[in-house]
Amino acid sequence: MKLRYNVRVYPSASQRGSLARAFGCARTVWNDALRVRCEAYAKNLPRPTAAELSKRVITEAKKSTERAWLGEVSVVVLQQSLRDLEAAYSNFFASKSGARKGPKMGPPKVKKRTARQAVRFTANARWSITKGGKLRLPKIGDIEVRWSRELPVQPSSVTVIKDPAGRYFASFVVEVDDKPPHFSGTFPSSGA
């Protein structure tokens, strides 16, 4: 079973700038890939594969003068944006065919800059938690974390979120046994 642990993080001014670039680049890659898929659909062309999308909206785009700034952020963040778009399409088609339970979902939409922004770093990004308890992110640096509890196991990914109030959070996904821990009704003592 997957669990999510959220903690408050305190990026420095330069790290907030790096995160803003990451948020914007991930949003741009999503929108560019969505446009390519919509154009292919409108022209009755086959759906572009994930590899074709990655080559076109990340690799080739970084070589152009208009999108060279995509190289300023971790490529894993950009690839994750493409994976998220693929997941959104999969959920839409499953919902449309009835294979997905729950409310019907619409097709993916263009992402606009909103007050809430997020980027995800997977294990491929080589992010880590330092011995000093900071969150080390590629091309961003070591971010101060306010830990409220320990993580039970090594997380598989971390999502950095900026909320509408301008606060930053790190959301860790961990895989644990299916049986939830038994809660005895008391908290462990903080001493001895």
Side-chain angles (χ1 to χ4, degrees), residues 8 115-116 162-169:
R8 184 88 185 266
R116 185 191 184 279
K162 179 183 175 192
D163 75 1
R167 298 173 298 187
Y168 291 82
F169 297 88

Side-chain angles (χ1 to χ4, degrees), residues 44-99:
N44 279 336
L45 297 173
R47 180 175 62 95
T49 65
E52 291 168 344
L53 283 174
S54 179
K55 181 179 178 187
R56 186 165 170 188
V57 301
I58 297 175
T59 308
E60 290 175 4
K62 286 197 299 189
K63 294 176 185 174
S64 73
T65 54
E66 300 88 34
R67 296 273 197 259
W69 42 267
L70 288 174
E72 296 176 9
V73 301
S74 172
V75 72
V76 174
V77 169
L78 306 179
Q79 291 167 339
Q80 188 59 49
S81 188
L82 288 179
R83 283 188 208 97
D84 291 344
L85 178 64
E86 285 299 314
Y89 266 112
S90 295
N91 290 337
F92 164 63
F93 290 127
S95 170
K96 196 172 177 180
S97 69

Side-chain angles (χ1 to χ4, degrees), residues 27-158:
R27 185 174 53 250
T28 297
V29 165
W30 168 287
N31 290 340
D32 288 350
L34 180 62
R35 180 182 40 78
V36 168
R37 286 200 59 171
C38 290
E39 287 172 358
Y41 178 77
K43 296 176 182 176
N44 279 336
L45 297 173
R47 180 175 62 95
T49 65
E52 291 168 344
L53 283 174
S54 179
K55 181 179 178 187
R56 186 165 170 188
V57 301
I58 297 175
T59 308
E60 290 175 4
K62 286 197 299 189
K63 294 176 185 174
S64 73
T65 54
E66 300 88 34
R67 296 273 197 259
W69 42 267
L70 288 174
E72 296 176 9
V73 301
S74 172
V75 72
V76 174
V77 169
L78 306 179
Q79 291 167 339
Q80 188 59 49
S81 188
L82 288 179
R83 283 188 208 97
D84 291 344
L85 178 64
E86 285 299 314
Y89 266 112
S90 295
N91 290 337
F92 164 63
F93 290 127
S95 170
K96 196 172 177 180
S97 69
R100 183 180 183 277
K101 294 180 182 177
K104 295 283 185 193
M105 297 182 71
K109 296 179 181 173
V110 170
K111 284 191 176 183
K112 297 178 182 173
R113 183 175 180 196
T114 61
R116 185 191 184 279
Q117 300 182 61
V119 289
R120 185 176 5 215
F121 294 85
T122 59
N124 295 344
R126 295 190 186 135
W127 63 272
S128 63
I129 299 168
T130 67
K131 289 185 181 189
K134 293 185 177 186
L135 175 61
R136 181 171 290 160
L137 298 174
K139 295 196 176 184
I140 295 172
D142 294 357
I143 300 176
E144 198 70 41
V145 179
R146 174 138 335 128
W147 294 101
S148 55
R149 57 186 158 180
E150 285 187 31
L151 299 174
V153 294
Q154 178 66 32
S156 59
S157 69
V158 61

Side-chain angles (χ1 to χ4, degrees), residues 175-188:
E175 187 81 32
V176 295
D177 295 335
D178 283 343
K179 293 195 303 190
H182 175 70
F183 181 69
S184 64
T186 60
F187 291 99

